[in-house]
Each structure stands twice: as C-alpha cells, then as structure tokens.
C-alpha cells in the first residue's frame, strides 16, 4: 500500500510555470489593468482621463494602445461591458437555438466564429474519469489572463483562465475533472492551440480547431448548444434548456454551463440570465465582461 501511494505521489505533475512567460514591455500590463478597471467600475462610467491616470498613461497614449490591442476604444469597450449591452442583445433579435439551426450553424464545418469541429468522448470514456488518457498541458499568456491549455491526441480538451499566482488552483480544478488521466507538461504541444484560439486572423473554416468534449450526456448537449451561439449574441439559460428539449431544466443547464472545461472556445460567457444580467462565470464576472467586450470589438471591426 505504501509503495503504491509513493508511486502515485511521484507520478503527480507539478502544475507550476517552469519559466517566466510574462511578455517583455509594459503594454500587456497597461491594457490588462485598463480592462480590469473598466470591467469592475463600469457602473461609474470612468472617463478616459481617469482610466489613463489609474494605469499611468496619458489619455492619448492609452487610447492608441487600447485601440490597437482591442480593435475598439476604451469608451466603446466600456459600453460593451455594461449590463445594458447584455439587455440589448436580448432586445435586438437574440436568436433562439432553433433559429441557429435554421441558419445552418449546426453543421460541423462552421459551428461558430472559431471554426470549431468537435467530437465527444463516449459515456464509457467519461465514467473512467480519464483512465488511459494522456493530457498534455501548458500555461500561456492570453488577452484574458494566463490560460491553462490541455490537449489530447484528439484535440483541445481543456481551457481555463487564472491570474498570476493562480496556476496551481487552475490546474487542480481542471485535473480534478479527470483525476485518473496522466498529465504531462508540454508547452510545445499546447502552443499551437494558444496561437489559434486567441488570434482571429487564424480562425479558418478550412482548418477547423479540433476539440474533444469530455462530460456527461447532458453536459455535452448543453456545451454543443453553446457552440451554436454566434459571436456578438447571447442566449438565456431557459432558451438553451428549451433548445435541447429540457425546458424545465434551466438550473441544470446553468450547472452544465458552469462546468464547461473549454472556456472561451465553447462560449459559456454568452449565456446570460433571463433579465439580461450576466450572472455567474466560473472564471469571474470581470473576465466575462472583458471577453464580451473583446468580442464586441471583433464584430465591430
């Protein structure tokens, strides 16, 4: 027994950064702090001058830097992350899932704006909690914090976010979903995924991003429904429940959305409350607002 416990301890990976991945220069930090400020203080509608003073930039310098990074101005980003934006999505023709089907968005060639093609592991595979599965992982800088990316031979299996210092917690969260898998730190395997996911110029229909979804039957149905929500749109939990044939299962849908292991790629951030409130997000409401604001910039440009 002791020998077995020792072996298991030795096999457990060390979920830490092996080297400093913070990009050189201060641009990333300035933009990150500005996004955080906007996302937290959007109710106060901070001015460009106030934002610039908070991040140690001139108003003109912040305007140019922010616009270059996000493809929209700080003011436009501020408008995008307000709750009014979510309500407008509901009021301006937010499509139900049935509409998405009619528009042909359910086909494997273009499920949504990342050009994702996906497959699901069988229920039997899920029940083994990852036994026999090798998952390679790595940490990468992203527009929304440090991204923990996990891949298998079949494609992207996990994407989580954390702030500096939160690597261990993010790894524990993700690896706890498939505790019997073998984990190997391999940034050379995860880097191509990081590049594809966060660079819209690399989103190509002829080279779809391959993902593998590992969950229960119900979770897979919910995650598949999330993939049908186009960028710049949102969908309520109740609409998702109705779209998968379980109209009384809004709470269960909410739980499945929260358990989504493929943040951003499977766009759980586009699920909102019936009133238009952003409600919860597994990786934090500030990050959810930032992602929605970033998407608003992409659709506008």
């Amino acid at each position: 027994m002791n020998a077995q416990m020792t072996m298991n301890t030795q096999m457990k990976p060390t979920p830490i950064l092996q080297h400093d991945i913070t990009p050189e220069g201060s641009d990333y930090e300035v933009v990150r702090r500005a996004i955080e400020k906007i996302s937290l203080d959007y109710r106060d509608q901070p001015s460009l001058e106030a934002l610039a003073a908070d991040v140690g930039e001139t108003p003109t310098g912040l305007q140019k830097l922010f616009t270059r990074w996000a493809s929209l101005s700080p003011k436009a980003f501020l408008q995008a992350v307000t709750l009014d934006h979510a309500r407008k999505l509901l009021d301006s023709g937010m499509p139900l899932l049935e509409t998405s089907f009619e528009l042909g968005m359910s086909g494997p060639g273009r499920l949504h704006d990342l050009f994702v093609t996906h497959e699901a592991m069988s229920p039997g595979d899920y029940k083994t909690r990852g036994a026999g599965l090798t998952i390679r992982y790595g940490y990468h800088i992203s527009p929304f914090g440090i991204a923990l990316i996990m891949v298998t031979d079949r494609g992207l299996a996990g994407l989580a976010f954390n702030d500096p210092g939160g690597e261990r917690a993010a790894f524990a969260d993700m690896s706890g979903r498939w505790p019997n898998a073998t984990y190997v730190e391999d940034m050379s395997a995860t880097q191509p995924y990081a590049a594809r996911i966060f660079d819209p110029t690399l989103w190509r229909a002829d080279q779809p991003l391959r993902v593998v979804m590992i969950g229960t039957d119900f979770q897979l149905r919910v995650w598949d429904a999330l993939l049908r929500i186009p960028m710049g749109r949102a969908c309520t939990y109740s609409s998702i429940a109705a779209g998968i044939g379980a109209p009384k299962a809004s709470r269960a849908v909410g739980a499945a959305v929260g358990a989504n292991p493929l943040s951003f790629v499977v766009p759980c951030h586009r699920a909102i409350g019936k009133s238009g409130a952003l409600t919860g997000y597994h990786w934090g409401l500030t990050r959810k607002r930032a992602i929605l604001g970033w998407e608003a910039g992409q659709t506008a440009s």
Side-chain angles (χ1 to χ4, degrees):
M1 176 65 71
N2 289 339
Q4 182 65 40
M5 291 178 63
T6 300
M7 181 181 297
N8 289 339
T9 300
Q10 292 174 342
M11 292 175 63
K12 192 171 183 61
T14 303
I16 60 173
L17 296 173
Q18 299 301 319
H19 59 280
D20 184 9
I21 64 172
T22 304
E24 294 182 1
S26 60
D27 284 3
Y28 172 81
E29 179 63 16
V30 169
V31 173
R32 185 196 69 79
R33 289 172 57 199
I35 287 176
E36 183 178 50
K37 179 73 172 177
I38 292 172
S39 299
L40 289 174
D41 296 346
Y42 64 92
R43 290 185 180 88
D44 297 331
Q45 298 289 294
S47 66
L48 176 62
E49 289 73 18
L51 288 171
D54 190 75
V55 300
E57 266 284 351
T58 65
T60 300
L62 178 61
Q63 178 89 358
K64 291 181 178 179
L65 175 61
F66 197 101
T67 302
R68 185 173 73 248
W69 177 85
S71 301
L72 74 170
S73 68
K75 181 179 179 180
F77 187 90
L78 174 61
Q79 293 172 341
V81 300
T82 62
L83 295 185
D84 285 340
H85 177 67
R87 294 190 179 94
K88 288 175 183 176
L89 290 175
L90 286 171
D91 295 337
S92 62
M94 179 190 68
L96 297 178
L97 294 179
E98 292 84 352
T99 304
S100 296
F101 282 115
E102 292 173 4
L103 293 175
M105 301 216 41
S106 59
R110 185 174 189 267
L111 285 171
H112 73 136
D113 32 81
L114 281 178
F115 299 105
V116 171
T117 180
H118 72 286
E119 62 176 308
M121 300 193 84
S122 70
D125 289 331
Y126 173 74
K127 289 179 181 178
T128 66
R129 309 295 301 278
L133 186 67
T134 296
I135 297 179
R136 301 181 183 279
Y137 70 93
Y139 299 90
H140 303 269
I141 285 291
S142 84
F144 313 110
I146 296 175
L148 169 59
I149 294 177
M150 294 182 163
V151 302
T152 71
D153 291 339
R154 295 161 68 175
L156 179 71
L159 172 56
F161 293 111
N162 63 267
D163 296 321
E167 293 82 9
R168 290 180 181 274
F171 184 91
D173 182 358
M174 296 296 287
S175 62
R177 302 166 190 240
W178 315 294
N180 296 328
T182 299
Y183 291 89
V184 178
E185 185 175 20
D186 187 352
M187 288 185 64
S188 64
T190 55
Q191 176 59 43
Y193 287 89
R196 287 281 306 280
I197 292 167
F198 299 112
D199 185 353
T201 64
L202 299 179
W203 298 353
R204 297 178 53 182
D206 60 337
Q207 295 181 10
L209 179 72
R210 294 183 56 83
V211 304
V212 56
M213 299 192 292
I214 309 172
T216 66
D217 285 341
F218 184 81
Q219 287 174 332
L220 293 173
R221 288 162 58 197
V222 171
W223 300 340
D224 181 70
L226 291 173
L227 280 167
R228 306 178 198 280
I229 306 173
M231 178 183 283
R233 300 283 184 149
C235 199
T236 62
Y237 298 102
S238 57
S239 293
I240 295 172
I244 63 173
K248 297 182 179 180
S250 294
R251 288 182 178 274
V253 165
V257 170
N260 169 34
L262 288 160
S263 181
F264 187 72
V265 172
V266 175
C268 50
H269 55 276
R270 297 178 192 160
I272 61 177
K274 191 172 183 179
S275 67
L278 297 188
T279 65
Y281 186 58
H282 190 74
W283 308 110
L285 278 179
T286 297
R287 190 167 275 115
K288 182 171 184 174
R289 293 189 188 99
I291 293 174
L292 289 172
W294 183 87
E295 289 190 339
Q298 298 303 316
T299 54
S301 63

